[in-house]
Amino acid sequence: MKRQIYILMILMILFTAGCSTSADPADDESPLINNPYSETEFLLGTVVTIKIYDEDKESALDKVFDRMEELEQQMTANENGSEVAEINEQAGIEPVHVSDDVWQVINQGKDYSEMAEGSFDIAVGPLTSLWNIGMEGARKPSQDEIDDILPLIDYEKIELDETEQTVMLKESGMRLDLGAIAKGYIADEVMELLDEEGVTTAVIDLGGNIYVMGNQTSGDPWVVGVQNPFSGKGETVGRLTATDQSIVTSGIYERYLEVDGEIYHHLLNPKTGYPFEGDLASVSVVSEHSVDGDGLSTLLFSKGLEEGIEFIQDFDGAEAIFVMEDKTVYITDGLVDNFELTDEDFTLVE
């Protein structure tokens, strides 16, 4: 039983490779290599790296990056011509027919908005655009500006027509922002494409949305470190082992704006118009599907520790790690035998 976000969270893949090429004992036709085929590009607003450990599968890299570029062009809200931009432009005017991918992401995003009862809301676009944290022109808006746009943030005003596969925002000025869930969907699509290409062993890193396929070339599970939210890249709080799993984190350290000595992080509360308040520094979610990790990490952060733990207890197929600002760490029951601290400044609460 289960128990107890530009999201530029950094998860470190820590692994020990053997000295020579090894093969999957279950499949002599799929030898693995210790020096992977690897490609890194700036996509999805972050640094993306794909590593493939199956011999003779380098050609899959081009297909993966083509697919990611296609999905980014469909789902970005910041580029004219994207499907999401068109939905936003037609808010209050008419429905917009969308592709299967955009339809799936908006459907799942609305489901998570309903589960969160609005503390996570994919209609948060007017608010994220107003603050613009992490982008050029970031600023703290006035209270009047916030008050003006809050009524526009309402997932219940997203009208979905399954028969026509159309999306309509019912009020002018509404805007979708899929940033809290799209990267997870894309990671899952990359995993499926690699699987179709015959890849069995790979690391997918979409700027912190991590998915590990198979095991290391040694046959052991991957060892994944969870970023210390108070330190620079590469410093970890703890680590866990994973096989065919996604690890996603949302945290206050990823993007922020400083105004008059006060820090405003990028995780915005759709109900107040300001960054979420509380004692959480980060939430990491371990799950089979990265889209769930993406949605859940933000949802759990929005609920805080107590409500977050209560929520995740009833959610099958996912585990969570809560890192508090006082450097205490809470984990769900499914991670008790799999998570260990790597930094003595932190305390694991049992």
Side-chain angles (χ1 to χ4, degrees), residues 5-11 39-50 65 68-69 72 76 78 134-135 179 182-184 186-187 204-210 233 248-249 253-255 266 294:
I5 298 156
Y6 241 137
I7 295 180
L8 193 56
M9 179 280 309
I10 306 294
L11 284 177
E39 186 170 343
T40 299
E41 293 186 17
F42 189 84
L43 284 173
L44 313 174
T46 189
V47 178
V48 170
T49 299
I50 308 296
F65 278 89
M68 286 191 289
E69 289 175 4
E72 180 179 33
T76 179
N78 301 319
M135 307 288 284
K183 210 159 42 166
I186 294 172
I204 302 163
D205 182 352
L206 307 190
N209 282 57
I210 302 292
K233 179 179 178 180
V248 181
T249 295
Y253 59 92
E254 298 156 351
R255 283 185 291 158
H266 77 292
D294 223 0

Side-chain angles (χ1 to χ4, degrees), residues 76 98 103 136 166 174 185 220 237 279 321:
T76 179
V98 297
W103 175 259
E136 185 177 351
T166 59
M174 289 183 67
Y185 178 87
D220 296 323
V237 170
D279 300 323
I321 303 161

Side-chain angles (χ1 to χ4, degrees), residues 6 18 32 56 62 68 77 82 84 102 114 135 137 162-163 166 177 187 203 215 224 236-237 245 254 260 266 273 294:
Y6 241 137
L32 302 178
D56 299 326
D62 286 340
M68 286 191 289
S82 79
V84 172
V102 172
E114 291 172 350
M135 307 288 284
E162 186 172 4
T163 301
T166 59
D177 185 335
V203 175
N215 291 317
V224 183
T236 62
V237 170
Q245 285 182 304
E254 298 156 351
D260 297 330
H266 77 292
D294 223 0

